[in-house]
Every structure is written in structure tokens, then in C-alpha cells.
Amino acid sequence: MHKPILDVPFLDMKSPYVELREQLDAAYHRIMESGWYVLGEEVESFEEEFSRYCGAKYCVGVGNGLEALHLILRAYGIGPGDEVIVPANTYIATWLAVSYAGAKPVPVEPDEQTCNINPEQIESAVTERTRAILPVHLYGQAAAMLPIKAIANKYGLRVIEDAAQAQGARCDGKMAGNLGDAAGFSFYPGKNLGALGDAGAVVTNDEALASRVRLLRNYGSSIKYHNELKGYNSRLDVLQAAFLRIKLRYLDEWNARRAKIAARYLAGLKNIRGLVLPYTPPLVDNAWHIFHVRCEQRNELQQFLHDRRIGTLIHYPIPPHLSQAYREMNFVEGDFPITEKISQTTLSIPIGPHLQQDQANYIIVRFKSFFEGLAA
């Protein structure tokens, strides 16, 4: 009797709810029965708990991760005429936050091993207009923050973490969100700490920044109808705050499950000719938001896995500098060759706290059969 083929989705969105169903349902009923649906104690409790988790003093809940970065930039007074150094290899939201503030994103190539921004190339991108460096902890792996902060200190720049993919990641013992001047988090449902809708937060040790972001997220007002700033409407939803409080209790455990799957992949896929596996530097604890591999036959590999009912994604097929959204910057193919190479060769495979070991083993077997076919 043949063993049935496993159906392995790239992202399992149902199992987290099933595991926590009783607690999440109770939180829903508690909020609905409270009659209080905007800001208030539930949001404040999550802010306190998440700031404590990150080892920082302040957390401000906002609408999503993009708005978290945007509001940090606004709160620091970064705007038209200013430049912000960003990774060339990232999701476009990092660049959009800078654009929303009216500033100019200045891209820098990644380190080819980690895929995070290369500190050795940052200094040459600094100009008299540079106000901040915005490193991304891509795929759940903290950027090289020590050299980045050294450059920032030399030139008097802010360091703003894009920690959208890095809940629970660490660098040199410190948690993401507490590695720069401020950090923007996303709690999009697929994140390691995911809400059941859009949500985000700003985390910082800077009291003045936290106070200003609190104003900006709420129409520029701390007292109704008393508007101190031209603000925005970007408030963390009360229901999402309640859900996040529950899921935060399980974040370390679920990240540990991710790490076990990653270790299984790294052991099972090593020494496959032509396949590049993720590299985690010393002193970095990877949160394993995404497990990505690279190979020249990426498209063929993706189709091969799809035909065998294994879900995959490409993070990210079109780099921001080649997107239509930034055509006015006049970048062309070849301007950022490492970023472009990554975009053409990278493939993300299933990983998550509810992925089973037999599913991971099945993926490994299929990988090996693909590359054995190439060598035949």
C-alpha cells in the first residue's frame, strides 16, 4: 500500500487558532461584552507586555508594520529633503515608509550570505542629507547591528529597525526591537507573532519618541478634540491586542518549534550541489520567520514542488528598485546585482510552529529527488 502524498501548504493559518481556540474565543467574547472597542486597557496591557518582552521601555500599538515605520520617521522629523539608507533587498514596505514621510530611500546592497544589508557598503552611501539607517531583520534574522550602530554614531544618524519579520530574534543577547533607536513591528497574520488581521507596533527606549508616536497615531491628539499635531488614524485594534496578548505567551515556544524544523532542513539539505542554504552568523538567534534556499533552477524547483503539492513562495521576485512604484528613481537592471541575483534564485519553503516533522522529511526527500534528476 502506497503512503499518500502529503499536502503541505506554505503557510498553515488554521492550526494556530485550533491550538488556542478556547483562549482566543474567550478573548473575543470579553472584548465584545466590554463595549470598549478603541484603545483603552487592552491595548495598554499588550503594549506593556510586548515592550517587556523586547526588553525596551515603551511600545505603541499602531495599525500595521508599514505605519509603524512611517510614524517613527515622522516622529523624528525626517521628511522632504532627507535621505534614509535602506536595504536594496527587502519588501517594498521598507522603502514606502520612507517615501510616505517625504524622504528619499537610498538603497544599499546586502551581504550575500545573510541577505541582510551589508554594513561595509553603508558608509559610502552616507551624504550630508542622510538622517537615518533603516536595517531590516530579513527572514527573521537580525541584521549586523553592531557595525551599523557604529556608523550611525560616527555620523549622528538614527537607527530604525524594520523588525516586521523578527519577533523573538536576537543579536548579541539583545532582542530585536531593542537594538536601535526605535523599531517597527508588523503583526500581520503570517508573522511569528501574528494577529487575526492587520496590526503593528513601535518599540523604543526613547520616551519623547513614544509620546510623539502616541499623538501621531491618534489624529495628533491625546485629549479628544485637542489636536497638537497633524496626525493620522493608526491605532492598534482592541480585538487584535487581545489576541496578541494570548499569542505572545506562546511566542518563544512556537519559535523553538520553528528552530527544530529549520535544523531538520539544514541537516537534511546540506551538501546538495547547487543549493544554497540560509546562513546564521555567530551571536545571532534566528527567529526563522522564513526558511529560504537559493538555486539557479529556482523556477523549475518551485514547479516541481508544486506538482507534488508542496507550497512555496518567492520573497521577493521584484526588488523595489526595479518596481514600477519607484520608476522615477531611474534604476535599471544591474544597478544592484547581488539583490537581483537573490531575487532570481531564492525560494521560501514551508516552516512554522505547526509544520510536522514528517512533512519536513517529505520536503527534504522531494528536494533530493529534484537535484538527483538534474545530475542524472
Side-chain angles (χ1 to χ4, degrees):
M1 183 175 179
H2 293 291
K3 185 177 180 180
I5 295 177
L6 296 174
D7 187 1
V8 189
F10 177 75
L11 186 61
D12 180 355
M13 297 300 297
K14 183 178 179 180
S15 291
Y17 170 69
V18 171
E19 181 174 344
L20 304 179
R21 184 197 305 268
E22 184 175 339
Q23 296 179 67
L24 293 171
D25 287 357
Y28 168 79
H29 288 293
R30 184 180 76 247
I31 298 303
M32 297 307 294
E33 292 169 2
S34 75
W36 191 282
Y37 307 129
V38 178
L39 295 178
E41 291 184 6
E42 199 74 40
V43 172
E44 292 169 5
S45 294
F46 171 72
E47 291 172 340
E48 179 183 345
E49 291 160 12
F50 191 63
S51 63
R52 189 186 313 125
Y53 177 84
C54 294
K57 293 181 180 178
Y58 308 103
C59 171
V60 184
V62 299
N64 56 64
L66 171 55
E67 291 173 2
L69 294 174
H70 172 221
L71 293 181
I72 293 170
L73 292 163
R74 287 285 191 184
Y76 276 136
I78 296 172
D82 296 328
E83 294 178 353
V84 177
I85 293 174
V86 297
N89 182 47
T90 185
Y91 183 53
I92 198 170
T94 313
W95 290 40
L96 290 175
V98 178
S99 298
Y100 286 179
K104 177 184 177 182
V106 177
V108 167
E109 283 271 60
D111 174 281
E112 193 166 355
Q113 276 192 303
T114 66
C115 296
N116 277 326
I117 192 169
N118 188 342
E120 294 181 1
Q121 296 197 26
I122 290 177
E123 193 164 6
S124 62
V126 175
T127 73
E128 61 182 12
R129 295 180 179 273
T130 307
R131 294 286 307 282
I133 305 171
L134 211 171
V136 178
H137 305 318
L138 198 64
Y139 310 141
Q141 177 165 283
M145 295 300 291
L146 295 180
I148 290 171
K149 289 196 290 186
I151 296 168
N153 291 337
K154 180 177 178 179
Y155 292 98
L157 307 175
R158 297 288 185 183
V159 177
I160 301 166
E161 302 171 67
D162 183 338
Q165 302 181 9
Q167 298 94 342
R170 291 178 176 83
C171 179
D172 199 21
K174 294 185 70 174
M175 195 74 77
N178 193 25
L179 299 171
D181 294 297
F185 283 91
S186 166
F187 304 122
Y188 183 77
K191 305 299 186 186
N192 291 36
L193 178 60
L196 302 185
D198 273 320
V202 171
V203 173
T204 185
N205 289 306
D206 185 336
E207 183 178 8
L209 176 79
S211 297
R212 196 167 180 85
V213 171
R214 288 188 196 280
L215 289 174
L216 287 169
R217 74 169 175 183
N218 190 40
Y219 299 103
S221 170
S222 59
I223 301 174
K224 195 167 185 177
Y225 301 127
H226 292 257
N227 301 86
E228 302 170 44
L229 303 170
K230 296 183 181 70
Y232 306 87
N233 178 8
S234 181
R235 300 173 296 213
L236 175 61
D237 180 78
V238 174
L239 266 174
Q240 301 306 334
F243 296 149
L244 287 167
R245 291 184 67 197
I246 293 165
K247 296 180 82 173
L248 179 59
R249 302 168 197 160
Y250 296 86
L251 178 57
D252 287 343
E253 177 189 338
W254 286 9
N255 279 353
R257 295 185 201 173
R258 288 175 177 270
K260 287 182 180 179
I261 295 294
R264 181 71 191 94
Y265 282 151
L266 291 171
L269 298 175
K270 67 180 180 180
N271 301 325
I272 294 180
R273 185 179 179 87
L275 184 67
V276 180
L277 298 177
Y279 168 75
T280 300
L283 304 179
V284 170
D285 291 328
N286 198 324
W288 295 110
H289 172 58
I290 290 169
F291 192 98
H292 71 108
V293 299
R294 283 180 281 156
C295 70
E296 296 295 332
Q297 302 82 14
R298 186 269 308 281
N299 294 343
E300 293 86 350
L301 174 60
Q302 183 176 41
Q303 185 62 53
F304 180 89
L305 296 174
H306 173 78
D307 291 344
R308 286 146 186 85
R309 299 170 64 185
I310 297 171
T312 62
L313 283 180
I314 298 171
H315 296 89
Y316 301 96
I318 303 174
H321 73 277
L322 295 180
S323 69
Q324 285 296 303
Y326 283 95
R327 59 187 178 276
E328 79 279 359
M329 297 185 76
N330 297 317
F331 291 120
V332 297
E333 288 189 23
D335 283 345
F336 297 93
I338 297 176
T339 294
E340 292 167 28
K341 179 181 178 182
I342 291 171
S343 74
Q344 293 161 7
T345 59
T346 193
L347 184 68
S348 303
I349 64 177
I351 190 169
H354 298 89
L355 188 74
Q356 301 301 307
Q357 284 288 340
D358 61 344
Q359 292 177 308
N361 291 337
Y362 174 70
I363 292 170
I364 291 167
V365 168
R366 291 308 183 188
F367 259 83
K368 289 181 175 178
S369 65
F370 174 80
F371 283 95
E372 287 168 359
L374 291 180

